[in-house]
Amino acid sequence: MRKGVLFLIGLLALILVSLAGAYGTFSYDPPPENGTVSYDAPSVNGTVQYDPPQVCINPAPYTTPDGDTLDIGNRCVDPPPVDVPFTYDAPAVNVPYTHDPPSRDVTCPDSVCPPPQQPPPPPPPPPPPPPPNNCTKVAATGADLSNFLATLVPGDVGCLHGGTYTDGASVSWSLNASSNPAVLQSYPNENAEIVGTQLGLAGQFLTAKNLTIRDIAVGNGIDFTGDNDRAEHNTLSNVGFNDSTGGAILTHSGADFVTITRNFITGSGLAGATTYHGIYLGGDAGSHGHVITRNVITNTKGGYGIHFYDGTTANPIFDVVIAENTSNGSVTRSGILVQGEGSNVVVRDNIFTSNGLAGITSRTAASGLVINHNIAFGNPVDCDDCIGVTGTIHANPLYVVGDPQLHVQATSPAIDAALFGYFPDRDGSGQLGAGPDLGAYEW
């Protein structure tokens, strides 16, 4: 009977599998079964001990031949116990039970339950939306740069499609955009390269950003002669490779309120020269209001990483901030030079490393000069002349090994240690930790 119950359970499982459309191998947990089974006990043979009761008789009075009557009284006998054999055949009884069979794997052969077809793969995620396209005018790759600049008016964002642009030794953008600033930039998500041509910002409220300027034999990369102009997040490489005087980015006399921020400058100047610099703040005529922040200047071949110099005592440069830059590997000179009579010049929270002459060279005693809280490390001397230099941090900034952009590692002493805070950083980040970081990047 029990085998029949289990067979029915197995048959029910297969029926459920077919109804559910299952396939392959799956786990089946049968339900508990309840029922009764008939139990017919075997016959029992044995003996039981029987102890007979005492037997007493009371015979009638006895009359003798003489005629006398005798009262005999009771006579009792106590028989001994005896073994009595027996045979017992119990009737069959119904015994209830509950059986909970264990789970087991059930396999349905492919001939009975063929596997279903695999569903098609999900569609790929949609591409990220393109960056906001704020271009008001667009130049095709290789277009005449001078002609394109001449079409821009105040408020324009002129975008150069990715590719190279060469337009003689130099082009000059002289738009007065004081009513509404104008921008020249790469088209979003593309890289426009100005090759062999100096870009002059000679107007008002002009910005050059997100451009690559490279391979200029003689001349500067970005050349400032106007006011309130800006160079932001550009890459300048191998500029002035056959020129011994100038700068990858250079400000001239009379240029005021110039902002140079978040640029990457590498390989500037003629190898072995001493007066071609990464960033050159030059001139006199009372130029003022410059802000130089979050730039990386590396492998300057012909001069200082940053060169601040005014050529007159009568009308020097003043009100200049040079902060949170990284200047590394100037071959023949220092990470920075401060020289002249300029007043209210602040050099703070920078990193100067592995330069050929010194980390910092200061040759000025002008009023309001502040050169402090900079990291200098790995230079022949961290400070040369050292006029006005205080609070220098002599510690390894711990650049990421093999990173030409000179980001720092998580344990760098530059992290959260800056006194100023100019944002965004070179990568476009705001403050990422408890405080701003020294150098061009936040960590």
Side-chain angles (χ1 to χ4, degrees):
M1 178 177 178
R2 184 173 181 182
K3 290 182 178 178
V5 171
L6 295 176
F7 173 76
L8 290 175
I9 291 173
L11 181 60
L12 177 61
L14 290 177
I15 293 172
L16 291 174
V17 168
S18 62
L19 290 176
Y23 65 94
T25 299
F26 58 94
S27 179
Y28 172 66
D29 187 7
E33 60 176 85
N34 298 307
T36 59
V37 293
S38 179
Y39 176 70
D40 188 3
S43 297
V44 178
N45 296 311
T47 59
V48 294
Q49 190 177 65
Y50 176 65
D51 187 6
Q54 188 181 50
V55 178
C56 295
I57 60 174
N58 186 14
Y62 176 71
T63 302
T64 67
D66 294 334
D68 295 329
T69 302
L70 296 176
D71 186 4
I72 297 175
N74 289 336
R75 297 289 186 268
C76 294
V77 61
D78 193 2
V82 296
D83 287 335
V84 179
F86 72 88
T87 296
Y88 176 71
D89 189 3
V93 295
N94 289 328
V95 180
Y97 71 88
T98 297
H99 174 65
D100 189 3
S103 299
R104 63 187 184 275
D105 289 339
V106 178
T107 301
C108 182
D110 290 349
S111 60
V112 178
C113 304
Q117 294 184 355
Q118 293 296 321
N133 183 351
N134 58 349
C135 304
T136 59
K137 290 186 175 72
V138 178
T141 300
D144 186 288
L145 201 53
S146 296
N147 290 342
F148 181 66
L149 291 173
T151 68
L152 302 181
V153 298
D156 267 341
V157 177
C159 295
L160 306 178
H161 270 301
T164 59
Y165 299 78
T166 299
D167 196 352
S170 66
V171 294
S172 180
W173 189 18
S174 57
L175 174 67
N176 184 346
S178 56
S179 61
N180 195 357
V183 177
L184 177 69
Q185 66 177 40
S186 290
Y187 194 87
N189 269 358
E190 298 180 12
N191 181 31
E193 299 183 278
I194 300 174
V195 180
T197 300
Q198 171 182 295
L199 175 62
L201 300 183
Q204 311 286 321
F205 293 91
L206 306 178
T207 294
K209 65 184 295 187
N210 298 335
L211 301 169
T212 294
I213 300 173
R214 62 177 175 86
D215 299 334
I216 298 174
V218 177
N220 310 309
I222 299 177
D223 188 85
F224 288 95
T225 55
D227 297 338
N228 296 288
D229 293 334
R230 184 179 185 94
E232 179 178 357
H233 201 257
N234 302 286
T235 297
L236 296 99
S237 65
N238 202 32
V239 174
F241 64 83
N242 200 28
D243 200 343
S244 60
T245 302
I249 300 179
L250 183 145
T251 65
H252 286 275
S253 299
D256 296 328
F257 300 105
V258 168
T259 297
I260 302 170
T261 185
R262 304 177 58 219
N263 300 283
F264 181 78
I265 304 167
T266 183
S268 306
L270 175 66
T274 59
T275 55
Y276 196 103
H277 316 295
I279 296 175
Y280 187 176
L281 306 178
D284 42 46
S287 296
H288 61 284
H290 301 329
V291 177
I292 317 301
T293 62
R294 298 288 192 177
N295 301 282
V296 175
I297 309 102
T298 183
N299 190 33
T300 304
K301 295 181 290 185
Y304 294 92
I306 301 172
H307 184 282
F308 172 87
Y309 175 76
D310 57 35
T312 178
T313 58
N315 205 6
I317 304 173
F318 62 97
D319 294 348
V320 175
V321 173
I322 303 171
E324 294 170 8
N325 302 281
T326 298
S327 181
N328 172 78
S330 295
V331 177
T332 62
R333 287 292 184 256
S334 304
I336 188 171
L337 167 70
V338 180
Q339 180 172 329
E341 302 298 326
S343 59
N344 298 327
V345 176
V346 176
V347 180
R348 178 176 281 170
D349 296 336
N350 303 280
I351 300 175
F352 303 113
T353 52
S354 302
N355 298 287
L357 177 63
I360 303 167
T361 297
S362 175
R363 299 171 182 163
T364 180
S367 63
L369 174 66
V370 176
I371 305 177
N372 83 321
H373 204 255
N374 301 284
I375 288 179
F377 182 82
N379 311 283
V381 293
D382 287 343
C383 181
D384 175 44
D385 290 344
C386 303
I387 299 173
V389 178
T390 62
T392 300
I393 302 168
H394 304 280
N396 188 341
L398 297 176
Y399 298 129
V400 174
V401 176
D403 176 20
Q405 300 282 331
L406 303 180
H407 294 81
V408 298
Q409 301 178 47
T411 54
S412 170
I415 294 173
D416 298 340
L419 303 178
F420 286 173
Y422 288 90
F423 301 106
D425 73 349
R426 161 78 185 144
D427 286 338
S429 299
Q431 182 172 311
L432 299 180
D437 299 350
L438 279 76
Y441 299 101
E442 286 291 297
W443 194 97

